[in-house]
Amino acid sequence: MSLTSLNAGHQTSSVRTLKVLVAVLVASNLLTGVLSVYVLRKIDERYSHLIAQSAPVLNDLQTLTATGTWAMRRTDPAFFGPEPGRIATAAKAAQGAIDEDKNLRSALIKKEWIPSTELKRDQVNSAGQEFTALAGKVVSLFASRQMSEAVRVRESELRPAFERYQAVTTQVADVLLDETTRLSEGFSSETRFSSRLMLSIASWPVLLGAALLLATLVFVVSLLILFRVRESAD
């Protein structure tokens, strides 16, 4: 076989090998891109779902604190003057504030909560129902002009119930915020890990090139050492 034929065969083999390497590189980059998009989209969906669960509930809990406080203030004896018309107006306004707080709480309880905080929903509902019942009782006593009894129930029963209601609402909001932060940090950690993994997968051509370069260097050095040994032997 002539030298020309050997060179031609070697070139053909080299071109074929180069084509295979290019095809593998393109396929690897495509796979890495598709996998990156899939992973990032999944993380984004989880982030969006977390925000959709936590943000409305946190907002309503803060609003619930304000509506509960306003309902409590509307039961203040100062609003219920001696005139019959004033008492009726104050009772209507107080009952309206109580109903507003109740309706907001009912809507909040029906919303989707973060699974790990769903048990807290019952605590808010229980404390709220107690407050609503006692506040309605106080308003009814004022409306029937049982002023002394209304004041007594307000201070001895309604106020402790209101304080429990506020404490539970605030505590649940804090727990929900902490859980949201914990889950968010977990998603961030997953994002960093996925990014490093994608970078590692995408950098395999560089690693392969470095390995080939190292192998070539070792081969050349070995040949040089072999030549010198033979020269010394001669």
Side-chain angles (χ1 to χ4, degrees), residues 141-214:
L141 289 172
F142 275 125
S144 61
R145 300 187 184 184
Q146 301 180 52
M147 301 302 182
S148 299
E149 182 63 11
V151 172
R152 185 194 69 78
V153 173
R154 182 178 189 269
E155 296 304 320
S156 64
E157 299 181 32
L158 177 59
R159 185 171 296 281
F162 166 71
E163 292 174 352
R164 286 192 296 271
Y165 184 30
Q166 293 289 294
V168 167
T169 303
T170 302
Q171 180 189 22
V172 170
D174 291 340
V175 170
L176 183 61
L177 182 60
D178 291 342
E179 184 65 10
T180 302
T181 302
R182 185 186 69 80
L183 291 174
S184 178
E185 290 176 351
F187 292 159
S188 298
S189 178
E190 289 182 16
T191 302
R192 290 192 296 269
F193 173 78
S194 299
S195 299
R196 288 194 295 267
L197 180 60
M198 293 301 104
L199 182 60
S200 299
I201 295 175
S203 62
W204 76 265
V206 178
L207 298 176
L208 179 60
L212 291 175
L213 180 61
L214 180 60

Side-chain angles (χ1 to χ4, degrees), residues 21-40:
L21 288 176
V22 170
V24 172
L25 178 60
V26 171
S28 173
N29 288 336
L30 288 175
L31 179 61
T32 302
V34 172
L35 185 60
S36 299
V37 171
Y38 174 78
V39 171
L40 292 177

Side-chain angles (χ1 to χ4, degrees), residues 116-130:
S116 56
T117 63
E118 285 187 347
L119 293 178
K120 300 294 181 181
R121 175 164 40 192
D122 296 335
Q123 297 179 9
V124 174
N125 193 37
S126 178
Q129 288 178 344
E130 180 187 20

